[in-house]
Amino acid sequence: RYLHFCKLPGRVMGIRLLHFTSVVIIVLLLVAGALTALLPNIKDDKMPNLRREPKTQSQSALDSFTLIMQTYNRTDLLLKLLNHYQAIPHLHKVIVVWNNVGEKIPEEMWNSLGPHPVPVVFKVQTVNRMRNRLQNFPELETKAVLMMDDDTLVSAHDLAFAFSVWQQFPEHIVGFVPRKHISTPSGVYSYGSFELQNPGFGNGDQYSMVLIGAAFFHSGYLEDFQRQPEAVYALIDETQNCDDIAMNFLVAKHTGKPSGVFVKPVDIRNLEKDTNSGYSGMWHRAEHLLQRSYCVNKLVNIYDGMPLKYSNIMIAQFGFPNYANHKNKM
Amino acid sequence: RYLHFCKLPGRVMGIRLLHFTSVVIIVLLLVAGALTALLPNIKDDKMPNLRREPKTQSQSALDSFTLIMQTYNRTDLLLKLLNHYQAIPHLHKVIVVWNNVGEKIPEEMWNSLGPHPVPVVFKVQTVNRMRNRLQNFPELETKAVLMMDDDTLVSAHDLAFAFSVWQQFPEHIVGFVPRKHISTPSGVYSYGSFELQNPGFGNGDQYSMVLIGAAFFHSGYLEDFQRQPEAVYALIDETQNCDDIAMNFLVAKHTGKPSGVFVKPVDIRNLEKDTNSGYSGMWHRAEHLLQRSYCVNKLVNIYDGMPLKYSNIMIAQFGFPNYANHKNKM
C-alpha cells in the first residue's frame, strides 16, 4: 500500500494521506475514550455538586475500610460523629445512608465546610428501611466495612485496634457489642445479653452474635446479603429490626464458626441523649427485645436450623491504655 | 519344593515336615514379637514399681493435654502443685522431669497416696539441664502439651480456658506470660517486658514471645526442637536459660507469624517464697535478664535473622469471673 501511494500523483496522494491520518486520529480518540470509560468511576447518585474524588487515594483498598453509617432523624448527631469518624486512621471513604426520605441532604453545608479528609457519599433512600444500610453499594471499594449506628461514638484507638483484629479474622464480624441466644427446653430460642443464663459451656458467659451497629466485617457479606431468601427481607421490613441478627446468621452459616469476634472497647459511648431531634432510637421501643427473640426463631425456620455458634473469646489491646491491663501478681 | 517333599519316603518326609513346621512356628513367633515391639510402649525408666497405665484412658488424645513439669530442688512445691494440677479438666497425663540428679523420686510416697486421677510419670535425668523438659518424651500421647514451671500456680479456670484457646490456635504457644524483644539503632536486640519501650506499632505495647513456663503448645514442636542446630543446645546449656526463647524462635520460624497468643490470667501465682528448700529459681540470678538479651542476639546469629513477630492481641474469657469484665457504658 505504501508503495502504491508512492506511485500516485501528488494531489490524489495528499487527499488519501489526509483520509488516512483522519481515520488514524479518530481511531485513537475512540481508543482513548474507551480507556477512559474503563477507569473506576464514582457514581454520585443525585449528588452532582459533591466534590469529585481526589485523583489519588492515599489508602490502598486492602489496608483501609469504608464506614457505612445509616441515619434517620438525627442529623445533629450524624454531623457530630462525621467530624470524628472522617479522621479515623485507615478510613477510605464514608457512605451515609440517608433514611430521611424527602429531606434534603446537607450537601451545601458539607461542601462549604470542606476540605474533608476522605470522600463522603450521601446515599438518598426512597423508603425508610432498616436494611437500606445492607445494600451492596457501588461506591464500596474496600474489602472491609465499618458499620456504625448514627448515635454511637467509638474512639479512634478502639477502631484502629479492632481494624487490625479484623485483618487477622477477616471472615468474622469483629465488633464491640456482643449478644447471645439461648435455647430453652421447649426448643424456643431467646435473645439477650448478660442477663440471660449462660449457655452452660464451662465457666463464664458466651456470646453468639456481634452486632453490626459497631463492627467491622467483609464487604463480601453485603454481596451475600443480596442473595438471601425473600422471607429474610420481609422479616426485617416487618420488624424494622433484626438486620444485624440476620447478618450474624448469614456469617455463621458461611463459616461454620462463631460469627463474631468481640473486641472489648476502651471508650464507646451512646450519644442519643445528646440529640435535639427528640428521637431516641429503635431499641427503646417496648417490644424491641421480644422482637429480636421473635426474629431468632423466625430465622431458624427460614434457614432450617440454628447456625449461630458460641464463643467466649474476648480480645483486648495489650498494654493499652496502660500496662495495668495485663500485669499480674507474678 | 513341595512336590519334592511329596516324593520322599515317609520317614524323611516326617522329619522334613517337622523342620518345616518348626520354621513356620518360629517365623510366626518372630512376627508376633515384632508386632508387639511396634505397639506404643510406656517406658517406665527406672520406675518398675509405678502403677501401670489404666487400660482405658477416659480422655481422648485429641481433647486432652499432657502436663510437663520440670523440677529442681523444690520437691515440696512440686508435690503441692501436683495435687492441684493432677485434677485439671482435660488433663491426660503428667510427666515430671526430675532434675534432682542422684536423688530418689518420691515414688513410694506417691503410690501410697494413690489412687491418682491421671498417670504421673517421673522421668529421672542424668544431668541437671534446663532443656531436659524439651525432650520428645515417648510417654507423650496428646497433641497438646501444657508446660509449667515447678513454682507456678495457675487456676483450673485459667487452664481450661487457655486450653480451649489453644485448640483454636494450635500452631501457637498459648500462655500467660508475654515478653518482647526490641531493636536498637545499633542493631543489637534487647529482651524485656513492659519496662522496655514499645516497639512503636501504634498505641499500646506489643509482645513477641510467650514463655513456655506457663503455656500450651503443640507436641510436634518438641519433635522439631530435636532437630535444631547444635549451637542452640550449646547456648541453652551454657546459660542454663533461654530454652523458652529458643522455642519462640522455632515456632515463629515455623509459622511466619507471632509465636505466641497471650491469654490474660485471672489467677496466676508464684509460690517460690513458699518453699522450704531455700532455692528461689533461676530468674533471681543477677545476670538473668542480661543473659536473655544475650540469647536473643545469639539466636539471631544462629538462625541468620530475627523471626520473632509482634502481636498486641490479649485474650480474656468473656463474662468470667463476672460480667464486669466486658460491660460498658452503653
Side-chain angles (χ1 to χ4, degrees):
Chain A
R1 267 194 145 268
Y2 178 73
L3 288 169
H4 181 67
F5 276 161
C6 287
K7 287 208 158 80
L8 286 171
R11 199 175 74 123
V12 175
M13 186 168 96
I15 289 170
R16 290 283 170 107
L17 192 58
L18 184 63
H19 281 176
F20 180 68
T21 336
S22 315
V23 168
V24 168
I25 289 171
I26 287 166
V27 168
L28 285 171
L29 286 171
L30 286 171
V31 169
L35 286 171
T36 312
L38 287 169
L39 286 173
N41 194 2
I42 309 302
K43 294 204 197 97
D44 297 331
D45 290 356
K46 304 191 208 281
M47 284 302 301
N49 296 349
L50 253 197
R51 276 185 51 206
R52 300 196 81 86
E53 190 143 77
K55 287 202 192 109
T56 52
Q57 284 294 346
S58 52
Q59 309 272 12
S60 119
L62 290 170
D63 289 326
S64 58
F65 57 88
T66 304
L67 168 62
I68 298 177
M69 186 177 282
Q70 179 155 277
T71 188
Y72 175 71
N73 208 359
R74 290 193 290 199
T75 307
D76 54 348
L77 290 188
L78 171 74
L79 296 176
K80 176 186 286 193
L81 290 171
L82 281 178
N83 181 64
H84 162 60
Y85 287 127
Q86 69 173 356
I88 299 287
H90 306 289
L91 178 67
H92 184 258
K93 181 186 300 178
V94 179
I95 296 174
V96 175
V97 184
W98 187 256
N99 267 3
N100 300 306
V101 177
E103 191 182 318
K104 278 198 166 76
I105 58 176
E107 55 169 313
E108 275 188 45
M109 187 259 289
W110 186 259
N111 292 342
S112 71
L113 293 173
H116 297 280
V118 297
V120 175
V121 180
F122 289 82
K123 302 287 293 185
V124 174
Q125 304 301 304
T126 52
V127 190
N128 175 17
R129 278 205 185 114
M130 185 62 78
R131 64 179 167 102
N132 284 338
R133 63 182 177 173
L134 294 179
Q135 295 172 69
N136 193 18
F137 301 102
E139 293 84 348
L140 190 50
E141 293 178 68
T142 57
K143 290 276 176 289
V145 167
L146 168 63
M147 189 158 282
M148 295 297 304
D149 284 346
D150 66 345
D151 59 359
T152 304
L153 177 60
V154 179
S155 77
H157 303 302
D158 285 307
L159 291 174
F161 178 61
F163 180 50
S164 75
V165 175
W166 175 84
Q167 289 174 312
Q168 298 173 65
F169 300 96
E171 51 172 4
H172 294 271
I173 300 169
V174 176
F176 304 102
V177 186
R179 294 287 184 265
K180 69 173 188 269
H181 72 285
I182 55 160
S183 191
T184 60
S186 56
V188 176
Y189 294 98
S190 254
Y191 168 95
S193 180
F194 63 91
E195 73 288 355
L196 292 188
Q197 72 172 78
N198 300 348
F201 298 104
N203 298 315
D205 203 358
Q206 309 270 342
Y207 59 94
S208 58
M209 288 169 269
V210 168
L211 301 188
I212 59 175
F216 290 90
F217 58 84
H218 199 291
S219 52
Y221 287 125
L222 290 179
E223 234 179 293
D224 290 349
F225 184 76
Q226 311 315 314
R227 295 194 294 266
Q228 298 309 299
E230 274 299 318
V232 173
Y233 309 138
L235 176 66
I236 297 171
D237 292 343
E238 164 201 342
T239 55
Q240 282 287 67
N241 200 346
C242 309
D243 60 328
D244 46 0
I245 300 178
M247 276 297 270
N248 275 271
F249 268 67
L250 190 163
V251 174
K253 268 181 83 67
H254 178 88
T255 63
K257 302 178 193 178
S259 49
V261 171
F262 170 47
V263 174
K264 182 178 179 182
V266 172
D267 196 334
I268 183 171
R269 308 181 195 199
N270 185 299
L271 303 188
E272 57 178 3
K273 57 183 173 13
D274 296 350
T275 185
N276 294 321
S277 68
Y279 176 68
S280 64
M282 301 293 275
W283 67 288
H284 290 286
R285 293 175 308 163
E287 67 275 22
H288 179 80
L289 285 172
L290 285 168
Q291 257 189 352
R292 289 167 83 70
S293 291
Y294 167 77
C295 286
V296 170
N297 288 293
K298 287 281 284 191
L299 287 164
V300 165
N301 281 345
I302 294 167
Y303 287 113
D304 198 31
M306 167 51 88
L308 299 180
K309 291 195 160 47
Y310 293 110
S311 171
N312 61 357
I313 299 277
M314 177 167 75
I315 294 188
Q317 190 174 357
F318 183 70
F320 184 84
N322 56 51
Y323 301 114
N325 86 342
H326 71 85
K327 287 198 62 188
N328 53 56
K329 287 202 201 65
M330 289 186 39
Chain B
R1 262 191 148 269
Y2 176 73
L3 288 169
H4 182 66
F5 276 162
C6 288
K7 288 205 156 87
L8 289 168
R11 197 174 77 121
V12 176
M13 189 168 94
I15 290 168
R16 290 284 170 103
L17 192 59
L18 185 65
H19 282 176
F20 180 68
T21 336
S22 315
V23 168
V24 168
I25 288 171
I26 287 165
V27 167
L28 284 173
L29 285 170
L30 285 171
V31 169
L35 285 173
T36 311
L38 286 170
L39 284 174
N41 194 1
I42 309 302
K43 292 201 196 102
D44 295 332
D45 291 355
K46 305 194 207 285
M47 284 300 301
N49 296 350
L50 254 197
R51 275 185 52 204
R52 300 196 83 85
E53 193 143 75
K55 286 203 194 109
T56 53
Q57 285 294 344
S58 53
Q59 310 273 11
S60 120
L62 289 171
D63 290 326
S64 59
F65 57 88
T66 304
L67 168 62
I68 298 178
M69 186 178 281
Q70 178 155 278
T71 188
Y72 175 72
N73 207 1
R74 291 193 291 201
T75 307
D76 55 348
L77 290 189
L78 171 75
L79 296 176
K80 177 185 287 192
L81 290 171
L82 281 179
N83 180 63
H84 161 60
Y85 287 126
Q86 69 173 355
I88 299 289
H90 307 290
L91 177 68
H92 185 258
K93 181 186 299 178
V94 179
I95 296 174
V96 176
V97 184
W98 188 255
N99 267 2
N100 300 306
V101 177
E103 191 183 315
K104 277 197 167 76
I105 56 174
E107 53 166 317
E108 276 190 42
M109 188 258 289
W110 185 259
N111 292 341
S112 72
L113 294 173
H116 297 280
V118 296
V120 176
V121 180
F122 289 83
K123 303 287 294 184
V124 173
Q125 305 301 303
T126 52
V127 189
N128 175 17
R129 278 205 184 112
M130 185 61 79
R131 64 178 167 101
N132 285 340
R133 63 182 177 173
L134 294 179
Q135 295 172 69
N136 193 18
F137 301 101
E139 293 84 349
L140 190 49
E141 292 179 68
T142 56
K143 289 274 174 287
V145 167
L146 168 63
M147 189 158 282
M148 295 296 303
D149 285 345
D150 65 345
D151 60 358
T152 304
L153 177 61
V154 179
S155 77
H157 303 302
D158 286 307
L159 291 175
F161 178 61
F163 180 51
S164 75
V165 174
W166 175 84
Q167 289 175 311
Q168 298 172 66
F169 299 96
E171 50 173 3
H172 294 270
I173 299 169
V174 177
F176 303 102
V177 186
R179 294 288 183 264
K180 69 173 187 270
H181 72 284
I182 55 162
S183 191
T184 60
S186 56
V188 176
Y189 293 98
S190 254
Y191 168 95
S193 181
F194 63 92
E195 74 288 354
L196 293 188
Q197 71 173 80
N198 299 348
F201 298 103
N203 298 315
D205 203 357
Q206 308 270 340
Y207 59 94
S208 58
M209 287 168 271
V210 169
L211 302 188
I212 59 175
F216 289 90
F217 57 84
H218 200 290
S219 52
Y221 286 125
L222 289 179
E223 233 179 292
D224 291 349
F225 185 76
Q226 311 314 316
R227 297 193 293 266
Q228 297 309 298
E230 273 301 317
V232 173
Y233 310 138
L235 175 67
I236 298 171
D237 292 344
E238 164 201 344
T239 55
Q240 282 286 67
N241 200 346
C242 310
D243 60 328
D244 46 0
I245 301 177
M247 276 297 270
N248 275 271
F249 269 66
L250 189 163
V251 173
K253 268 180 84 68
H254 177 87
T255 63
K257 302 179 193 178
S259 49
V261 172
F262 169 47
V263 175
K264 182 178 178 181
V266 172
D267 196 333
I268 183 172
R269 308 181 196 199
N270 186 299
L271 303 189
E272 56 178 3
K273 56 182 175 12
D274 296 349
T275 185
N276 295 322
S277 68
Y279 176 69
S280 65
M282 301 292 276
W283 67 287
H284 289 285
R285 294 174 307 164
E287 66 276 22
H288 178 81
L289 285 173
L290 285 167
Q291 257 190 352
R292 288 167 85 72
S293 291
Y294 167 78
C295 286
V296 171
N297 289 294
K298 287 281 283 191
L299 287 163
V300 166
N301 281 346
I302 295 167
Y303 288 113
D304 198 31
M306 166 52 88
L308 298 181
K309 289 193 160 50
Y310 293 110
S311 171
N312 62 356
I313 299 277
M314 178 167 74
I315 295 188
Q317 190 174 358
F318 182 71
F320 184 83
N322 56 51
Y323 301 116
N325 86 342
H326 71 86
K327 287 197 63 187
N328 53 55
K329 286 202 200 70
M330 290 185 39

